[in-house]
Amino acid sequence: MKIYTRTGDDGTTALFSGGRVPKHHLRVEAYGTVDELNSVLGLARALRPNAGTDADLERIQHQLFHLGADLATPLDAKTSYVVRADSAQIAWLEGRIDALTAQLPALTAFILPGGSPAAAQIHVGRTVCRRAERLVTQLAEVEPIGEQVLPYLNRLSDFLFTLARWENMQAGAADVTWTPGG
C-alpha cells in the first residue's frame, strides 16, 4: 500500500464518513491538534519516564487515536466503526488524578513547566491539550460533536498536569514553582 494518494494535492482531505473538506477546516485543525498531542506524549514516553507514567501515557495515546477518529467523523455519519469518547474514559482519568494527587505534596503555589525531561514534555502535552480543547470548542459552535469530547479534553489536561508533578516526584526532581516578580 502506498502512503501517498495525491488526492490531497488540491488542498482538501477526506473525512472518515466520506466527503472532503479543506485542510484548514476547523474539524481538521481540531483532530490534527489531537494527533499532535499524541505525538508529544509519544516523545514523553521516549524519554523513559517511570513505568507507571509510561503505562498511563500509552493508554492515553490509544484513547487519543480514537478521539481523533471521533473528531474526524461528523455525528450524522453513517458508520459503526468509530469509537466515540465516552464517560468511562473520563472516569478513568478522574480516578487516576485522585490516585496520583493522594501521593503528591499539597499544591501551594503555581507550577512552572519543568523538572525532569519526561515531566517537562508532559507539561508540553498539557498545553497542546488545552489548544485542542480551544479548537474543539470553536468546532462545537458550528458543528455538533460528541458530548464527551470536551469533558475528556478538559479532564485530560488536568490529568497531564497531575502526571507531570507525579513524574517529577518519581524522578526526584522538584516541581518548579512560580514566584511573583520572579
Side-chain angles (χ1 to χ4, degrees):
M1 177 172 144
K2 289 186 177 184
I3 191 69
Y4 60 89
T5 62
R6 297 188 177 124
T7 57
D9 291 353
D10 65 353
T12 65
T13 191
L15 298 177
F16 279 179
S17 61
R20 299 189 71 77
V21 295
K23 290 185 177 186
H24 64 271
H25 190 278
L26 194 51
R27 181 175 293 280
V28 178
E29 287 287 340
Y31 72 71
T33 304
V34 168
D35 185 37
E36 179 184 352
L37 171 57
N38 207 335
S39 294
V40 165
L41 297 182
L43 178 55
R45 293 185 67 208
L47 293 171
R48 302 198 183 276
N50 173 280
T53 299
D54 187 62
D56 283 348
L57 290 175
E58 180 180 13
R59 183 170 181 163
I60 289 166
Q61 283 190 290
H62 286 279
Q63 291 175 353
L64 288 173
F65 200 87
H66 288 297
L67 187 70
D70 187 338
L71 287 167
T73 309
L75 283 182
D76 61 357
K78 305 289 188 260
T79 179
S80 61
Y81 61 86
V82 173
V83 177
R84 302 283 183 184
D86 65 33
S87 59
Q89 295 168 334
I90 296 165
W92 178 80
L93 287 170
E94 290 172 348
R96 292 300 297 142
I97 291 168
D98 293 344
L100 297 178
T101 299
Q103 300 174 48
L104 289 168
L107 189 59
T108 59
F110 288 107
I111 303 296
L112 297 177
S116 72
Q121 186 63 28
I122 293 167
H123 276 296
V124 172
R126 175 186 52 78
T127 65
V128 174
C129 185
R130 286 292 189 201
R131 179 162 31 95
E133 186 179 14
R134 291 189 301 271
L135 288 166
V136 170
T137 60
Q138 289 179 331
L139 177 62
E141 289 179 355
V142 295
E143 293 186 34
I145 62 166
E147 65 182 52
Q148 299 301 320
V149 172
L150 282 169
Y152 177 84
L153 287 170
N154 189 34
R155 213 69 80 252
L156 178 58
S157 63
D158 294 337
F159 172 72
L160 292 174
F161 174 80
T162 304
L163 185 64
R165 290 190 67 220
W166 191 80
E167 177 59 30
N168 270 339
M169 185 176 77
Q170 299 308 303
D175 281 326
V176 181
T177 57
W178 173 73
T179 53

